Amino acid sequence: GNSVTQMEGPVTLSEEAFLTINCTYTATGYPSLFWYVQYPGEGLQLLLKATKADDKGSNKGFEATYRKETTSFHLEKGSVQVSDSAVYFCALPYNNNDMRFGAGTRLTVKP
Amino acid sequence: DTEVTQTPKHLVMGMTNKKSLKCEQHMGHRAMYWYKQKAKKPPELMFVYSYEKLSINESVPSRFSPECPNSSLLNLHLHALQPEDSALYLCASSQTGGQGTRNTIYFGEGSWLTVV
């Protein structure tokens, strides 16, 4: 079945640093791919998604490109802010009614 | 704007209490979900309602009882819970349950449950 493998955290960066969080997937066919973000004490928010190979999802300065050659969907941001401190989950659909999540990567950005 | 609203945000209940978590969405979505999330873990699926019918029950103990009164509302009735049931309970919705690999699931803010 579909699954994702996400880099282990935690990740600690200084403000304005470059961020990469790696995500690789195993899937039948070419499902949509997602990044969700969970800020402290909150639920999950959809950060971005890509629906087909070579698509780039982007939002709030974050980007991820759906790469079927490397089965990857790495999350990047050129300059992180303290407010980006959160847990980030890579995800893809599983069966018709579920989502498979990566383990989550906790990002802490220090001023 | 996508929005799934959950109440209450925090709930503390004893092991003999009966309480309910409530969820509402006004996006016209026809699939609604309950997920459970323990600390430092990803969410785990509990139940799925598709077109107001229970389509998935992931072997959840009967002390959790879902209810879908209409296409916009989803409840989770709680009775005789255990301390290990303390967690964040997330409601979610998606356009339909049958979009398969294109399904986008939208989550609420969650209800923090503590069982004492």
Side-chain angles (χ1 to χ4, degrees):
Chain A
N2 293 357
S3 65
V4 290
T5 301
Q6 188 175 342
M7 68 180 278
E8 296 288 329
V11 174
T12 302
L13 295 173
S14 298
E15 212 165 18
E16 300 184 3
F18 184 85
L19 168 71
T20 300
I21 300 178
N22 290 340
C23 172
T24 56
Y25 67 89
T26 302
T28 303
Y30 299 102
S32 294
L33 300 174
F34 304 87
W35 278 100
Y36 286 87
V37 59
Q38 187 170 32
Y39 297 102
E42 298 187 9
L44 269 71
Q45 297 179 23
L46 178 66
L47 179 60
L48 55 83
K49 69 177 184 180
T51 58
K52 61 182 187 294
D54 300 325
D55 258 6
K56 178 185 284 188
S58 61
N59 186 26
K60 299 182 181 180
F62 291 88
E63 293 183 338
T65 301
Y66 190 158
R67 300 212 185 274
K68 66 177 182 179
E69 304 84 5
T70 53
T71 62
S72 65
F73 193 54
H74 304 324
L75 183 68
E76 296 181 337
K77 186 173 186 182
S79 176
V80 293
Q81 305 300 312
V82 173
S83 57
D84 294 326
S85 298
V87 180
Y88 293 83
F89 292 96
C90 184
L92 79 170
Y94 182 79
N95 295 334
N96 277 340
N97 291 109
D98 194 5
M99 193 76 79
R100 274 293 182 263
F101 294 91
T105 302
R106 181 175 299 277
L107 170 66
T108 301
V109 180
K110 297 190 172 181
Chain B
D1 198 12
T2 59
E3 188 170 305
V4 177
T5 57
Q6 291 187 240
T7 56
K9 191 166 176 64
H10 298 276
L11 177 63
V12 179
M13 61 183 291
M15 289 187 284
T16 58
N17 291 160
K18 285 186 182 181
K19 298 285 184 182
S20 297
L21 305 180
K22 297 185 183 299
C23 175
E24 188 169 10
Q25 58 88 12
H26 293 289
M27 294 179 280
H29 289 174
R30 301 311 300 268
M32 296 187 76
Y33 309 73
W34 281 114
Y35 282 82
K36 175 182 178 179
Q37 187 181 23
K38 300 286 277 185
K40 300 186 179 181
K41 296 289 187 182
E44 296 178 350
L45 184 65
M46 300 175 70
F47 302 104
V48 181
Y49 275 83
S50 183
Y51 293 90
E52 297 151 57
K53 287 185 169 45
L54 183 64
S55 62
I56 293 179
N57 175 341
E58 291 286 353
S59 303
V60 178
S62 61
R63 58 186 184 267
F64 296 91
S65 175
E67 179 197 18
C68 188
N70 60 52
S71 60
S72 300
L73 295 174
L74 185 66
N75 299 322
L76 185 63
H77 302 299
L78 313 170
H79 175 53
L81 295 192
Q82 303 298 310
E84 58 265 28
D85 296 321
S86 298
L88 177 65
Y89 288 84
L90 292 161
C91 177
S93 70
S94 64
Q95 193 166 11
T96 72
Q99 283 190 326
T101 61
R102 298 284 174 254
N103 212 14
T104 300
I105 296 178
Y106 298 92
F107 288 85
E109 291 291 314
S111 292
W112 293 89
L113 173 67
T114 303
V115 181
V116 298

